[in-house]
Amino acid sequence: MNITAVKTKPYSDQIFGTSGLRRRTSVFMQKNYIHNVVQSFFNAIQGFEGKTLILGGDGRYGSSKALQIVIKIAAANGVGRIIVGKKGWLSTPALSHLITLNDAFAGIILTASHNPGGKDGDFGIKFDLKNGAGAPLSVTNRISQCAKAITHYWWFDAPDVELGNIGTKQIGKTQVEVIDPVEDYAAYMQEIFDFKAIKKLFASGFSFVFDAMNAVTGPYAKYIFEELLGSPAGSVRNAEPKVDFGGLHPEPNPVYAAHLVKMMKAPNAPDFAAASDGDGDRYMVLGKNFFIDPSDSLAILTEHLDKIPFYHKRLYGVARSMPTSEAADFVAKRKKLPIYKTPTGWKFFGSLLENKKISLCGEESFGAGSNHVMEKDGLWAILAWLNIMAITHKSPQKLVQELWDKDGRVYYVRHNYEDIPLDQAQNLMRALASRIASLPGQKFGSLIVKSAEVFNYTDPVTSEVAENQGYIITLSNKTRVMIRLSGTGSVGTTLRLYFSRHERKLNEAPAEVLATVILATSSILQLEKYIGVNTPTTIV
């Protein structure tokens, strides 16, 4: 059978964050680094022998080698069938769908999501379980523990499996099935959305641009938007997945997709534009000279999703991550829907989706999804917007303006302090933890701290507890500040500060509305003292 046990030694940094393990590509290319992670996954779970594994990713640099490593280790561990996208391509939501469609025991996704790619970029690996959701803390903690203690991995010594053509191959007793990565996902989207209505919208002269950012959604978007829905050829841009994303930073936000924002400010701008990220689970939508905050986007979906027949009378509830603004809360209250607040990390929505506590969820970092799959889904969110516009005959601007007229506007800004040395970031958070209870009543500039708390979360379904998921501070001008460290970076860590304020005045500049609290927060956290800077790396 050519199966051998290969000796290895553990790496101390194989600790999973909010969405898998992400490091510099050069780190993943170290001897046995990927091997250790994959074997630790099999060591941490049970009952996979003879069953089906779904495999794919965003095609970034290093994927070709990593795909073969996963296939050979999976075969050596006794996996019965591996379904892999042609060229190794599968968007994260498409992979999640394939797990449930094929009754697979798990999926392995080779991606660092929105992080840059290439030899000098980032790489990552993530595991989804049999429900199609990201592995929960209990499982990722077990994987990390197994990685600390690993002494060997199982290896099937065989030639590489050819992944460039659709068909079935054999490696020992394991069947490797190479499939069209787009076909099943596109068919599923046609079950969910009214493609006739969207096609009619495009036929009416409605103009649309989608930027795939040279990432994995390019083939999906070309087929769905241009071939199935009739958007003119060329509507989908940067559609060819590239190992380095063509030099683009595949994160769909106004900073890294500034070229799209600039296009939408031009006199001849299309009616609607959108973008997705490296692995297809994030999105950005824009109207003419009109950026739609992802928190407002979640509120729009909450307001209108049940107009789409698939969700009619099946909108059970809504959830948002803690740093996401309260915009969806106001809609949920009006519609008498339960609203849940979870830690950052899509896996925290999994039990709520699976147990019909919610049908819709979203996060401030440009992610949204529903119970159609257990992962966030960028193309799904864009199709939902198109379907809503086709039903309501309203522009993006009109939809958002009507929402603000009903509920007021939640002004929102995120500051990212990236690549901070971990010890500095931890010192800042420890200092904040020691002072959090004493902050209420203290004055910073013209503002007084009204409340300050640690955000801890108990899953209402599983009772699993996630502690110390960030801090929430409320100030005297009714502004909310959230502070957390991000688990999605590859070097050091990222400090994220989120500022939000609910107002009845609707058309101010968010930076101006929030300027006072941003200044106060710098003093509260003592940024200069702990991380040496006051100016964020990016503002979104």
Side-chain angles (χ1 to χ4, degrees):
M1 292 293 289
N2 301 325
I3 297 175
T4 56
V6 181
K7 290 184 179 179
T8 189
K9 294 181 180 179
Y11 286 90
S12 61
D13 65 341
Q14 292 187 340
I15 300 169
F16 283 69
T18 54
S19 188
L21 179 68
R22 298 178 191 174
R23 297 287 182 266
R24 289 292 193 214
T25 302
S26 57
V27 172
F28 266 92
M29 296 303 112
Q30 294 176 97
K31 182 181 179 180
N32 293 341
Y33 195 92
I34 298 172
H35 306 66
N36 285 15
V37 177
V38 176
Q39 185 60 58
S40 296
F41 168 68
F42 287 114
N43 291 347
I45 64 174
Q46 303 294 324
F48 55 81
E49 293 84 357
K51 294 188 177 179
T52 299
L53 173 73
I54 311 297
L55 172 63
D58 58 21
R60 65 180 57 228
Y61 183 91
S63 294
S64 297
K65 178 181 178 181
L67 287 162
Q68 300 297 334
I69 292 170
V70 174
I71 289 170
K72 292 174 185 179
I73 291 178
N77 277 275
V79 171
R81 180 171 69 145
I82 301 170
I83 296 175
V84 57
K86 181 180 175 182
K87 299 184 181 180
W89 293 346
L90 275 175
S91 74
T92 289
L95 185 144
S96 177
H97 173 54
L98 285 171
I99 290 174
T100 54
L101 187 66
N102 293 278
D103 193 27
F105 77 90
I108 296 180
I109 312 169
L110 302 174
T111 181
S113 189
H114 55 285
N115 293 21
K119 187 176 181 179
D120 298 320
D122 295 343
F123 196 82
I125 188 166
K126 177 185 169 184
F127 304 104
D128 280 4
L129 301 187
K130 63 182 179 180
N131 63 351
L137 281 173
S138 56
V139 174
T140 55
N141 286 342
R142 285 205 306 272
I143 298 170
S144 294
Q145 290 301 314
C146 289
K148 290 179 182 178
I150 194 168
T151 58
H152 69 276
Y153 58 86
W154 292 104
W155 183 253
F156 197 109
D157 189 13
D160 287 353
V161 177
E162 201 278 315
L163 302 178
N165 296 298
I166 293 170
T168 301
K169 288 84 173 173
Q170 201 74 23
I171 176 168
K173 294 183 179 180
T174 302
Q175 178 180 300
V176 180
E177 185 179 345
V178 182
I179 65 164
D180 181 334
V182 175
E183 184 178 13
D184 289 311
Y185 177 84
Y188 193 30
M189 291 301 102
Q190 291 176 79
E191 294 177 24
I192 296 172
F193 298 109
D194 186 346
F195 270 43
K196 288 183 180 179
I198 301 173
K199 193 170 185 177
K200 186 177 179 181
L201 177 69
F202 284 141
S204 72
F206 180 89
S207 52
F208 169 66
V209 167
F210 174 81
D211 193 333
M213 303 186 82
N214 297 316
V216 79
T217 53
Y220 294 84
K222 289 287 285 186
Y223 182 63
I224 292 172
F225 295 131
E226 293 187 4
E227 294 188 37
L228 294 181
L229 292 171
S231 185
S235 298
V236 177
R237 303 181 180 181
N238 294 316
E240 180 66 25
K242 297 180 180 179
V243 295
D244 63 350
F245 305 115
L248 295 178
H249 190 306
E251 182 169 0
N253 66 37
V255 176
Y256 297 118
H259 57 284
L260 196 62
V261 175
K262 182 179 179 180
M263 181 192 73
M264 293 303 288
K265 290 181 178 179
N268 60 343
D271 296 304
F272 187 58
S276 191
D277 69 331
D279 65 330
D281 65 356
R282 297 187 185 209
Y283 75 107
M284 178 176 69
V285 287
L286 302 132
K288 288 186 177 183
N289 198 25
F290 192 80
F291 167 67
I292 301 165
D293 182 276
S295 296
D296 282 339
S297 181
L298 178 62
I300 290 292
L301 295 175
T302 306
E303 179 81 356
H304 296 286
L305 195 66
D306 55 4
K307 293 181 174 68
I308 298 170
F310 185 87
Y311 298 98
H312 184 55
K313 294 185 179 179
R314 290 163 60 185
L315 196 55
Y316 309 122
V318 183
R320 63 172 174 84
S321 61
M322 177 269 285
T324 303
S325 90
E326 311 98 308
D329 300 32
F330 296 109
V331 183
K333 184 177 180 180
R334 276 195 289 104
K335 294 173 74 76
K336 296 182 170 55
L337 293 171
I339 181 82
Y340 298 87
K341 183 172 67 177
T342 71
T344 296
W346 203 260
K347 59 191 173 186
F348 291 106
F349 294 131
S351 64
L352 299 172
L353 290 165
E354 195 171 17
N355 289 274
K356 294 186 177 181
K357 297 287 187 182
I358 62 172
S359 304
L360 174 66
C361 45
E363 56 189 13
E364 56 79 28
S365 55
F366 296 81
S370 83
N371 53 359
H372 72 290
V373 294
M374 297 295 112
E375 288 279 6
K376 54 181 175 278
D377 189 346
L379 287 183
W380 170 90
I382 295 162
L383 284 165
W385 265 90
L386 288 167
N387 208 160
I388 289 166
M389 287 186 284
I391 291 169
T392 62
H393 307 289
K394 294 174 181 177
S395 69
Q397 298 95 312
K398 182 67 173 175
L399 288 166
V400 174
Q401 198 71 44
E402 286 183 351
L403 182 79
W404 291 346
D405 288 340
K406 287 181 182 178
D407 299 324
R409 180 179 179 183
V410 182
Y411 288 88
Y412 190 87
V413 171
R414 180 180 81 189
H415 285 193
N416 297 331
Y417 295 81
E418 298 171 0
D419 297 344
I420 300 170
L422 183 59
D423 59 338
Q424 291 184 15
Q426 289 177 336
N427 286 340
L428 182 150
M429 296 300 273
R430 278 193 287 267
L432 180 59
S434 68
R435 297 187 296 118
I436 196 74
S438 63
L439 282 176
Q442 290 190 35
K443 188 173 183 180
F444 296 88
S446 61
L447 300 178
I448 298 171
V449 176
K450 289 294 184 181
S451 65
E453 61 177 310
V454 181
F455 181 60
N456 299 316
Y457 178 71
T458 301
D459 190 300
V461 176
T462 67
S463 298
E464 191 173 71
V465 176
E467 296 183 331
N468 300 318
Q469 295 297 305
Y471 298 92
I472 304 172
I473 298 173
T474 304
L475 293 123
S476 52
N477 62 350
K478 299 182 180 179
T479 305
R480 195 174 63 132
V481 184
M482 293 137 289
I483 305 104
R484 56 177 289 271
L485 298 182
S486 172
T488 61
S490 62
V491 176
T493 191
T494 298
L495 172 68
R496 300 196 194 276
L497 309 181
Y498 314 84
F499 308 93
S500 69
R501 181 176 174 183
H502 181 234
E503 287 279 0
R504 282 291 169 184
K505 56 183 180 181
L506 305 180
N507 296 301
E508 305 297 316
E512 293 179 10
V513 172
L514 297 165
T516 304
V517 72
I518 290 170
L519 185 63
T521 301
S522 180
S523 298
I524 293 171
L525 299 184
Q526 301 176 51
L527 294 178
E528 189 76 45
K529 174 181 177 180
Y530 287 104
I531 63 173
V533 292
N534 275 321
T535 304
T537 313
T538 57
I539 299 174
V540 182

